[in-house]
Amino acid sequence: MAADKDTSAAMEPQGELAVPIYWAEAKAALIARDRIMAKLIPQIGDLHLRGQPDPFTTLARSIVGQQVTPKAADAAWARLLATCPKLSPAQVLKAGAVELAGCGLSKRKTEYILDLADSFKAKRVHADLWSQMDDEAVIAELVQIRGISRWTAEMFLIFNLLRPNVLPLDDPGLIQGISQNYFSGEPVSRSDAREVAANWEPWRTVATWYLWRSLDPVSGSGTVE
């Protein structure tokens, strides 16, 4: 796993959740066209991706999870929620660096979350327009925020905007899932991954999620249902 990335399973959000409206159609299409998915999807059963509707919370959670284990991320997140129960940009800014650091966040992560909160409060990001923007346009805006990488932006597309065709090639879980399920554990290049994923379009998000679940059938966050 790359150093600046949270685990994919840990990105499964908590709170009010939504099921993608395309899930059943995507499952049927993947089963029909991909022999690995035809075996894997029935094994996973009725589990499915669930989305977090609040953009600020989703992005803040991704920052907290960077460079630490899911267990450490969960602990820091719980302390952050205790400090900022509403977890609004205004509440985070009011808490300030000292209180955020007291939640177990590093100096860098504290700066990132404060910058994220300020970006939302000052409306330097256009969260109300993201649902109308294409994937690359959303990514381009998000990566302007400190602490938000392309991988984080792609996780946001998957878990917040519920976009159906995201292929997060920087995600180690996706690469490992392709390696284990399609290449008998042999190393997989980005080119290999793209070739496999070409058969999944326009449902690459869904196939990616099933590969994550093949590695971690029940997320430690307890939010996969």
Side-chain angles (χ1 to χ4, degrees), residues 5-225:
K5 298 176 178 64
D6 187 7
T7 63
S8 307
M11 287 294 298
E12 290 279 7
Q14 299 187 23
E16 184 182 353
L17 301 165
V19 180
I21 60 174
Y22 53 76
W23 202 257
E25 179 184 356
K27 282 174 59 177
L30 290 169
I31 287 172
R33 72 175 64 154
D34 187 293
R35 62 182 180 82
I36 299 299
M37 289 292 155
K39 295 179 181 179
L40 188 58
I41 290 174
Q43 291 174 2
I44 303 300
D46 293 332
L47 304 182
H48 48 70
L49 180 153
R50 291 189 167 203
Q52 166 59 259
D54 180 63
F56 179 74
T57 300
T58 305
L59 292 168
R61 180 65 180 85
S62 73
I63 290 173
V64 170
Q66 292 173 0
Q67 297 182 313
V68 296
T69 65
K71 183 177 180 179
D74 288 344
W77 184 247
R79 290 194 291 269
L80 179 59
L81 290 179
T83 300
C84 302
K86 295 181 180 178
L87 203 73
S88 65
Q91 191 176 58
V92 168
L93 289 169
K94 183 177 180 180
V98 174
E99 286 198 45
L100 294 184
C103 297
L105 300 176
S106 67
K107 182 176 183 293
R108 183 66 58 85
K109 286 185 184 179
T110 296
E111 292 173 353
Y112 287 166
I113 289 180
L114 288 171
D115 189 63
L116 176 69
D118 188 59
S119 293
F120 270 76
K121 187 176 181 181
K123 299 190 182 301
R124 290 195 297 273
V125 293
H126 306 93
D128 56 332
L129 299 179
W130 287 339
S131 64
Q132 304 166 39
M133 295 162 61
D134 66 35
D135 291 356
E136 289 301 322
V138 175
I139 290 171
E141 182 163 302
L142 286 175
V143 297
Q144 299 304 310
I145 303 171
R146 294 178 64 204
I148 304 296
S149 65
R150 181 179 178 88
W151 175 86
T152 302
E154 288 171 337
M155 295 301 104
F156 181 82
L157 290 175
I158 291 172
F159 289 107
N160 181 270
L161 296 180
L162 300 178
R163 296 294 172 86
N165 199 33
V166 180
L167 183 68
L169 289 172
D170 292 326
D171 186 78
L174 169 63
I175 299 302
Q176 184 181 355
I178 291 175
S179 171
Q180 290 191 9
N181 288 282
Y182 290 84
F183 291 87
S184 301
E186 293 296 317
V188 172
S189 68
R190 291 168 69 92
S191 177
D192 292 331
R194 285 194 189 93
E195 184 175 348
V196 169
N199 197 38
W200 303 337
E201 294 204 49
W203 311 116
R204 295 183 300 180
T205 291
V206 181
T208 295
W209 187 90
Y210 278 107
L211 291 178
W212 286 339
R213 295 282 70 77
S214 75
L215 303 175
D216 179 20
V218 179
S219 168
S221 66
T223 59
V224 183
E225 297 181 5

